Amino acid sequence: MAEAETPNRSPEIRKDKIHNRWVLFSPARSRRPSDFKAKSNPQPSNQTECPFCAGHEHECAPEIFRVPADSTNDWKIRVIQNLYPAVSRELDFQNPVSLVGDVAVSGFGFHDVVIESPVHSVNLSDLSPAQVGEVLLACKKRIAQLRSCDSIKYVQVFKNHGASAGASMSHSHSQMIALPIVPPTVSARLDSMMEYYKQTGKCSLCDIQPNELLIAESAHFISLVPFAATFAFEIWIIPRDHSSHFHEIDSEKAVDLGGLLKLMFLKMSLQLNNPPFNLLIHTSPFQDDPSYAPSTHWFLQIAPHLSGVGGFEIATGCYINPVFPEDAAKILRDVRISNDNI
């Protein structure tokens, strides 16, 4: 297992230039970085079969499409409506932009599920890079379908792994929620990236020099621990080429990303004891202002759940991270994964 000894370091407050927020690094609040492990990662249930398994399709909400398209019982991926959606595609869209004061409009939107495998016991990290790439391309295809709805402005793709990270089903799956608004956190990210561009003439992600924050790299992507990581052992995977939208990814890059994403899952699982985590795709709105194109750059975030969020974080929006990013990156970089597992 990877080891890294941390010299006595004073606390630091670092600026996250992507999200325009501050993170407090306080290593005195933790044990050695290399001792960080998830205490446990209980799954939502101990089922061996569930509605997401092959042969149980009739127990699910309506299917949107499957991969391969002409498959029957031998499908690889299914994209379905969420049986318990956070938003409803049945409601009429109401534009909230022109309203002032306390605003409430109908909860219009789309909430879908991407079932990543027909087999209950198979996790995303068990798939080959090409198979992970197929999952990413299924997300791309569904996003392209949602773009045809003029009312939809933003689609958030996310994966919850483990009950404490929000997973209600242990069968490996991702979700996406399409909204008629641009969430404020997304707007703040875009504005912060634009401000960096105005000051430097450069995209803030293209301008990153990973150095000791680097974990691994592939032909088209780099993985690193961000300079002002919100969470201990947080990982970002960033396209080398400037691109504003995740749905611009092609098949070659999807497979390449699949391999790097799988590697990150394996390193994280081995070093951190298969922690609960959230996987998030940070992209741009559909009807974005063209002037934002040079400054916006999509990326993936993996946020492990290794410690809780307390009152200070809720009150200030300033998170306390007990592990310096340089230490986390070295530990993850030094985790050796056999080529047979990739």
Side-chain angles (χ1 to χ4, degrees), residues 14-77:
R14 293 187 178 186
K15 176 72 173 292
D16 177 351
K17 65 183 180 184
I18 307 301
H19 297 99
N20 191 28
R21 61 191 180 203
W22 295 91
V23 180
L24 172 59
F25 291 89
S26 184
R29 294 171 60 87
S30 74
R31 47 203 179 277
R32 291 187 309 168
S34 56
D35 290 336
F36 258 82
K37 313 283 181 190
K39 295 178 181 177
S40 64
N41 183 12
Q43 295 301 315
S45 73
N46 293 319
Q47 293 173 281
T48 56
E49 289 191 356
C50 74
F52 288 176
C53 293
H56 293 259
E57 294 84 356
H58 62 285
E59 300 176 33
C60 294
E63 179 179 301
I64 299 168
F65 66 85
R66 62 177 59 190
V67 179
D70 58 352
S71 59
T72 53
N73 292 332
D74 58 342
W75 56 269
K76 297 179 182 178
I77 300 165

Side-chain angles (χ1 to χ4, degrees), residues 15-317:
K15 176 72 173 292
D16 177 351
K17 65 183 180 184
I18 307 301
H19 297 99
N20 191 28
R21 61 191 180 203
W22 295 91
V23 180
L24 172 59
F25 291 89
S26 184
R29 294 171 60 87
S30 74
R31 47 203 179 277
R32 291 187 309 168
S34 56
D35 290 336
F36 258 82
K37 313 283 181 190
K39 295 178 181 177
S40 64
N41 183 12
Q43 295 301 315
S45 73
N46 293 319
Q47 293 173 281
T48 56
E49 289 191 356
C50 74
F52 288 176
C53 293
H56 293 259
E57 294 84 356
H58 62 285
E59 300 176 33
C60 294
E63 179 179 301
I64 299 168
F65 66 85
R66 62 177 59 190
V67 179
D70 58 352
S71 59
T72 53
N73 292 332
D74 58 342
W75 56 269
K76 297 179 182 178
I77 300 165
R78 287 208 314 139
V79 179
I80 65 172
Q81 298 179 22
N82 194 309
L83 192 60
Y84 304 103
V87 289
S88 174
R89 66 195 74 208
E90 307 299 331
L91 295 174
D92 292 330
F93 167 67
Q94 296 173 284
N95 192 341
V97 175
S98 60
L99 303 178
V100 295
D102 294 330
V103 176
V105 297
S106 67
F108 167 77
F110 298 84
H111 190 172
D112 302 329
V113 176
V114 181
I115 305 172
E116 298 160 348
S117 166
V119 181
H120 191 86
S121 59
V122 172
N123 291 313
L124 194 58
S125 58
D126 297 321
L127 301 178
S128 70
Q131 290 170 325
V132 178
E134 285 187 319
V135 172
L136 296 170
L137 290 173
C139 293
K140 170 186 174 175
K141 178 178 178 178
R142 181 54 183 154
I143 292 171
Q145 293 174 345
L146 292 167
R147 285 184 70 200
S148 65
C149 178
D150 292 337
S151 301
I152 294 301
K153 292 184 170 57
Y154 190 79
V155 177
Q156 180 62 61
V157 179
F158 61 99
K159 177 179 177 65
N160 302 330
H161 175 73
S164 62
S168 58
M169 302 273 290
S170 57
H171 193 124
S172 190
H173 67 285
S174 301
Q175 300 180 63
M176 59 179 71
I177 296 181
L179 298 169
I181 60 168
V182 178
T185 300
V186 175
S187 296
R189 167 170 55 86
L190 300 180
D191 289 343
S192 182
M193 297 176 89
M194 171 59 88
E195 186 60 29
Y196 185 89
Y197 179 77
K198 287 179 178 178
Q199 293 180 9
T200 66
K202 299 176 182 178
C203 162
S204 52
L205 289 184
C206 291
D207 200 32
I208 284 180
Q209 304 297 321
N211 300 323
E212 57 189 351
L213 297 173
L214 182 71
I215 303 171
E217 52 190 334
S218 65
H220 299 288
F221 297 88
I222 62 171
S223 64
L224 52 79
V225 178
F227 172 77
T230 302
F231 305 99
F233 293 93
E234 176 181 343
I235 298 170
W236 288 8
I237 301 180
I238 304 170
R240 292 181 184 273
D241 296 332
H242 185 80
S243 174
S244 297
H245 295 92
F246 165 75
H247 64 253
E248 296 170 342
I249 194 170
D250 60 24
S251 298
E252 178 188 342
K253 290 180 179 178
V255 173
D256 187 58
L257 176 55
L260 191 56
L261 187 56
K262 176 183 173 74
L263 178 62
M264 293 303 99
F265 286 150
L266 293 174
K267 283 178 174 280
M268 198 167 60
S269 180
L270 187 60
Q271 177 62 36
L272 304 176
N273 191 30
N274 185 28
F277 66 82
N278 300 111
L279 171 65
L280 313 166
I281 298 179
H282 297 289
T283 186
S284 295
F286 289 152
Q287 297 106 1
D288 53 338
D289 185 334
S291 66
Y292 278 76
S295 63
T296 56
H297 194 137
W298 74 267
F299 65 100
L300 267 65
Q301 176 189 17
I302 305 173
H305 288 238
L306 298 170
S307 57
V309 173
F312 176 79
E313 288 87 350
I314 295 172
T316 64

